[in-house]
Amino acid sequence: QVQLVQSGAEVKKPGASVKVSCKASGYTFTSYDINWVRQATGQGLEWVGWMNPNTGNTGYAQKFQGRVTFTRDTSISTAYMELTSLRSDDTAVYYCARPTYCSSTSCSRDFDYWGQGTLVTVSS
Amino acid sequence: DIQMTQSPSSLSASVGDRVTITCRASQSISNYLNWYQQKPGKAPKLLIYTASSLQNGVPSRFSGSGSGTDFTLTISSLQPEDFATYYCQQSYSSSLTFGGGTKVELK
C-alpha cells in the first residue's frame, strides 16, 4: 500500500533552517511528483510547491521562492523540503502529498496520498 | 494567484441533514476544482476531483458540481463521521491555492 512517512517534529530558532523528509513506499517513487503543503495551527492549507523525483525539476509558490528547496534521494525513495531563514509565522504542520495520477509527461494536481505531517515550531 | 473563497466558514447541522458548501474562484478555473475533508490532527482526504468526480472509496452521499468560477460540495445526508472541515482547491494555475475551509459542526 502507498505510504508517505515524514520525519519527526522540529523546534527551531528564528533565522535557522529546517529539513523535513518524506519517505515513499508502495509505489515507484520516481513516477509521481511530490508536493508540499503547510498548515498553521487552526488555519487553512497553503501550497508550498512541487518536485518531480525523476528529473529533480521543482516549482515553488512565489511566497517561498528563495527560502525553500526541494531535493530527493531516489536510492531511498525519500523527498526533502528545506526551509531557511525561519520566522515565527513558519510555525506549521508541513505535509508531503502525492498526486492521484501521473502520465509520462505530467501529473494531476489533486492529492490522494498524504504524509502524516511534520510540526515545525519556530520560537526563540 | 487565484483566490478561492468558501462559504460559509462554518455551519451547524444535524445527522441526516443535506449540507451544501460553496467555493468561488477569483477567475475561471474550468473544472479544475478539488474538495478535501480534514479531521483534527489528520491529513486532508480527497473527496472530489475535477469538480464532480468521486474519489475511489468515498461514499456516494458526497457530490460536487460547478464550473468556471462557482462550485458546490453537497452531502446529501450528513453522517456522524462527516463532521469535519472541508477545503476546496484549484488546480488550474501553476500555483495551487486552497479555500479558507468550512467547518461542519453538530447542531
Side-chain angles (χ1 to χ4, degrees):
Chain A
Q1 72 284 18
V2 173
Q3 281 192 301
L4 299 173
V5 178
Q6 298 183 223
S7 48
E10 303 264 12
V11 179
K12 297 292 182 180
K13 294 193 181 303
S17 300
V18 69
K19 192 169 186 177
V20 178
S21 67
C22 172
K23 182 172 177 60
S25 61
Y27 72 98
T28 302
F29 176 62
T30 51
S31 294
Y32 289 80
D33 291 351
I34 290 287
N35 282 249
W36 292 88
V37 176
R38 78 177 187 179
Q39 185 172 38
T41 302
Q43 303 300 308
L45 300 166
E46 183 175 33
W47 180 73
V48 179
W50 65 272
M51 181 186 66
N52 180 320
N54 185 43
T55 62
N57 289 345
T58 56
Y60 303 120
Q62 187 168 6
K63 174 177 181 176
F64 300 100
Q65 289 269 7
R67 283 208 304 139
V68 70
T69 304
F70 300 146
T71 57
R72 86 289 192 206
D73 185 339
T74 57
S75 69
I76 56 171
S77 300
T78 300
Y80 302 93
M81 179 201 71
E82 183 172 27
L83 188 61
T84 63
S85 302
L86 289 168
R87 308 184 288 252
S88 58
D89 62 359
D90 291 318
T91 295
V93 174
Y94 289 76
Y95 294 101
C96 57
R98 196 200 80 163
T100 303
Y101 75 86
C102 289
S103 69
S104 58
T105 54
S106 66
C107 293
S108 68
R109 307 186 79 210
D110 49 276
F111 309 117
D112 61 348
Y113 289 99
W114 295 67
Q116 83 276 20
T118 296
L119 175 62
V120 175
T121 302
V122 183
S123 173
S124 54
Chain B
D1 286 0
I2 298 174
Q3 305 304 312
M4 306 301 294
T5 303
Q6 283 184 239
S7 60
S9 56
S10 66
L11 65 90
S12 298
S14 300
V15 172
D17 283 353
R18 181 181 182 89
V19 169
T20 299
I21 298 167
T22 65
C23 179
R24 175 165 290 175
S26 60
Q27 67 181 74
S28 178
I29 57 171
S30 185
N31 67 338
Y32 290 92
L33 191 284
N34 312 303
W35 289 98
Y36 298 86
Q37 176 194 68
Q38 187 180 33
K39 296 182 178 179
K42 300 295 187 182
K45 173 187 176 183
L46 180 65
L47 300 176
I48 302 284
Y49 60 96
T50 55
S52 60
S53 298
L54 193 66
Q55 173 67 1
N56 289 342
V58 174
S60 59
R61 63 181 179 273
F62 291 93
S63 64
S65 65
S67 67
T69 60
D70 294 318
F71 302 87
T72 61
L73 173 70
T74 300
I75 310 171
S76 60
S77 178
L78 198 66
Q79 297 302 300
E81 61 267 30
D82 300 338
F83 292 97
T85 301
Y86 294 84
Y87 293 94
C88 62
Q89 173 232 331
Q90 64 81 16
S91 51
Y92 178 82
S93 76
S94 59
S95 185
L96 306 181
T97 48
F98 292 84
T102 297
K103 187 173 184 178
V104 177
E105 298 176 300
L106 180 63
K107 183 183 287 184

